Amino acid sequence: SGMSPSCFGYPLSIFFIVINEFCERFSYYGMRAVLVLYFKFFLHWDDNLSTAIYHTFVALCYLTPILGAIIADSWLGKFKTIISLSIVYTIGQAIMAVSSINDLTDYNRDGIPDNIPLHIGLSMIGLILIAFGTGGIKPCVSAFGGDQFEEEQEKQRNRFFSLFYLSVNAGSLLSTIITPILRGEECGIHTKQQCYPLAFGVPAALMAVSLMVFILGSKMYKKAHPQGNIMLQVSKCIGFAVKNRFQHRRKQFPKREHWLDWASEKYDKRLITQTKMVLRVLFLYIPLPMFWALFDQQGSRWTLQATTMDGNFGAIQIQPDQMQTVNPILIVVMVPIVDAVVYPLIKKCHFNFTPLRKITVGMFLASLAFVAAALVQVQIDKTLPNFPKEGQSQIKVINLGTDVAKVDIGPGVENMSVESLMHIFIFRKHATFSSLFFNVPFSLLLFQCNNNRLELRYVEDIQPNTVHMAWQIPQYFIMTCGEVVFSVTGLAFSYSQAPSNMKSVLQAGWLLTVAVGNIIVLIVAGASKLSEQCILIAYYISSVYYTVMVQGRTIIDKPHKLPLSDLRSNIKASLDHMKNTEKIW
């Protein structure tokens, strides 16, 4: 409805949509960049619980697009769905910012919140609202942008999607640089703490800006009315086929060529044939969640790994959550290189690099990235302090007397002698001297000398991190290579293999693999009794290796072909459809 003003041959309305997407992606990735550290250092959760909740949130973000597509296509339409869920999204971001205010429950002003359950409750409410907001608008915004073009503007539409993808990566890149810097600042009314309210507040403000920008262009948009959701029709068709087949399971009923043919009593052959095509592609998606189980750990396990590494890059001190910026930087650089250089070279070598082979290579590269991560973790473990294990204890003895003290611990433990440390005052500091001793617990020992002058001795309780964060770059590089050949190819493959009226079904199926991958991670992190990251990493590598082997045998050795019977069925269904629309033709 309505014609949008144009600018350089493009509808003016798309620029509001691109700016909206940039702000929304900044809001989402900025919040997500500091989320796992917020869990660990503010809510004081352990690594496994932080990882589990993080991936639960990401999984929910990729499950809700199905709900958003149903709401948009069956009820509100894309425009009203984006507006409504963006409001929910903004409220969720604001609640997250409030939940991270330390002074909210710091009644005794000691720098520690006194009501952690309140902060946890607010955080969970905020994350649920964010997941419904970002997931609900995900399938709507890009499709709504494509609706703004006329049929003859295919070239401009393709360029719009390129610009749209660029805005996504630009928002992701800037947010993962800026929000960790904001988190590293100190703020607070009574005590100075890491500024999580600012790190969450800026994404909340950007989401509000995103909503206002989208509303400003409302009079220019072409707004299509909801026409029913094909996903519901497909789901009902499958459900009826299963139910009908179960009711006719006895031997006196003749078998049918395909189990979906049992839906023919209620649904037309065209829908049944197209559903068969979609299900064949969805069957190929079964191993794909293992890629996302590895890929999305860049924001959880890899960030936690970076907290045990040295982030000193000369004049710049890199925060652990800022290492995630390596991925979007490499994406922006590598996508044009792979498309313009790598793929043409492979083609010149006369190698048929099909989409499914690209997906298989991407999965292999993801497992290889975790091999690199495991090697880095082995080196980190060599430098970590020897903390007491389960069933063990550790004691530190300081002799404040003037004579040597003999300490008898007990049977089975060697006795020790402790030299005198006269007139010692012990101070614990973690922030004031951070420019000298970065993130290192230490003791300052003051000795009173004979000439009444004080002598200061610095003793490190824990040695500083010595493995440099730069060693994470190879694993990010390999993972990004896998993402380029896996994710980009997978999206295009999903679009090309689907019937024209079922593109959204396969796109939703593709997003569902991301959700399932994150569910795999949270199950492993939640159920695992293992505390060593190396053992968990080895588990993921072996799982993906098995997946790649199965995928390779079924895809590379035996290319997918459409059976002749299905081809005949497709042709017959198409002819029947043409007969039904003879007047229009």
Side-chain angles (χ1 to χ4, degrees), residues 25-187:
R25 290 290 87 184
F26 186 106
S27 175
Y28 173 73
Y29 283 108
M31 178 276 304
R32 209 176 87 166
V34 300
L35 188 59
V36 73
L37 297 186
Y38 168 74
F39 290 154
K40 181 172 182 179
F41 297 112
F42 188 90
L43 300 181
H44 304 293
W45 290 346
D46 62 24
D47 287 2
N48 280 339
L49 181 58
S50 300
T51 300
I53 300 299
Y54 174 88
H55 287 284
T56 301
F57 167 70
V58 176
L60 190 59
C61 289
Y62 284 93
L63 285 172
T64 49
I66 298 175
L67 179 62
I70 293 174
I71 292 174
D73 291 345
S74 305
W75 182 25
L76 295 179
K78 296 184 185 70
F79 175 75
K80 290 183 179 179
T81 300
I82 295 172
I83 294 289
S84 303
L85 293 180
S86 292
I87 294 173
V88 174
Y89 194 167
T90 306
I91 294 173
Q93 289 281 30
I95 292 175
M96 276 299 298
V98 172
S99 73
S100 62
I101 298 176
N102 184 77
D103 295 310
L104 188 65
T105 62
D106 187 13
Y107 307 122
N108 55 8
R109 302 183 180 181
D110 62 349
I112 301 174
D114 297 318
N115 192 353
I116 288 291
L118 176 62
H119 292 273
I120 294 175
L122 289 174
S123 300
M124 295 303 102
I125 292 172
L127 290 177
I128 290 171
L129 294 179
I130 292 170
F132 276 97
T134 187
I137 67 175
K138 193 183 294 291
C140 301
V141 177
S142 59
F144 187 69
D147 291 344
Q148 306 306 307
F149 294 87
E150 303 295 335
E151 289 296 329
E152 63 273 10
Q153 291 182 301
E154 183 178 355
K155 184 178 180 181
Q156 289 89 337
R157 184 187 289 112
N158 291 335
R159 287 182 178 174
F160 158 73
F161 283 117
S162 298
L163 184 62
F164 187 86
Y165 183 74
L166 180 63
S167 70
V168 170
N169 283 278
S172 169
L173 175 60
L174 290 177
S175 64
T176 48
I177 293 174
I178 294 173
T179 52
I181 295 175
L182 299 177
R183 175 194 61 79
E185 297 294 322
E186 292 186 346
C187 62

Side-chain angles (χ1 to χ4, degrees), residues 452-488:
N452 293 325
R453 294 182 60 189
L454 290 177
E455 176 188 351
L456 175 67
R457 181 183 297 178
Y458 162 70
V459 179
E460 289 182 347
D461 298 332
I462 299 178
Q463 295 297 316
N465 302 332
T466 56
V467 180
H468 203 274
M469 282 187 193
W471 287 106
Q472 278 196 322
I473 294 178
Q475 65 199 56
Y476 274 101
F477 175 77
I478 298 171
M479 182 63 78
T480 305
C481 291
E483 180 188 5
V484 170
V485 296
F486 180 92
S487 182
V488 177

Side-chain angles (χ1 to χ4, degrees), residues 309-318 438 468-469:
M309 303 177 75
D310 179 15
N312 185 11
F313 284 79
I316 303 174
Q317 185 68 47
I318 298 296
F438 177 71
H468 203 274
M469 282 187 193

Side-chain angles (χ1 to χ4, degrees), residues 234-235 237-239 241-242 258-261 271-286 497-499 502 505-506 560:
V234 171
S235 301
C237 178
I238 294 173
V242 172
H258 193 279
W259 64 270
L260 269 174
D261 292 331
L271 177 63
I272 294 172
T273 302
Q274 291 176 337
T275 304
K276 291 179 184 178
M277 296 167 64
V278 168
L279 289 180
R280 288 192 192 97
V281 180
L282 291 178
F283 178 77
L284 295 176
Y285 285 177
I286 291 176
Q497 295 297 306
M502 292 194 180
V505 177
L506 274 188
H560 176 69

Side-chain angles (χ1 to χ4, degrees), residues 213-349:
V213 168
F214 188 75
I215 293 175
L216 284 175
S218 60
K219 293 184 178 179
M220 303 179 190
Y221 299 139
K222 292 172 60 179
K223 303 167 188 174
H225 296 290
Q227 299 177 350
N229 195 289
I230 191 65
M231 284 192 290
L232 291 179
Q233 297 180 36
V234 171
S235 301
K236 290 178 180 179
C237 178
I238 294 173
F240 181 80
V242 172
K243 178 183 177 181
N244 198 27
R245 177 67 184 89
F246 181 77
Q247 291 175 346
H248 298 80
R249 62 187 182 277
R250 296 174 183 173
K251 293 183 179 180
Q252 64 263 32
F253 298 105
K255 292 184 178 180
R256 300 189 183 182
E257 189 174 357
H258 193 279
W259 64 270
L260 269 174
D261 292 331
W262 288 95
S264 58
E265 284 87 345
K266 186 175 180 180
Y267 296 94
D268 61 85
K269 292 183 179 179
R270 181 170 179 266
L271 177 63
I272 294 172
T273 302
Q274 291 176 337
T275 304
K276 291 179 184 178
M277 296 167 64
V278 168
L279 289 180
R280 288 192 192 97
V281 180
L282 291 178
F283 178 77
L284 295 176
Y285 285 177
I286 291 176
L288 304 190
M290 283 310 303
F291 174 86
W292 300 113
L294 299 182
F295 178 82
D296 280 333
Q297 288 187 77
Q298 294 176 88
S300 58
R301 290 287 179 186
W302 286 12
T303 300
L304 293 173
Q305 184 186 60
T307 61
T308 60
M309 303 177 75
D310 179 15
N312 185 11
F313 284 79
I316 303 174
Q317 185 68 47
I318 298 296
Q319 300 294 327
D321 37 0
Q322 284 182 312
M323 281 302 293
Q324 299 175 55
T325 59
V326 175
N327 176 257
I329 291 172
L330 290 175
I331 280 288
V332 172
V333 173
M334 290 180 61
V335 166
I337 292 177
V338 170
D339 286 337
V341 179
V342 177
Y343 287 161
L345 284 177
I346 293 176
K347 189 175 181 180
K348 284 186 178 180
C349 295

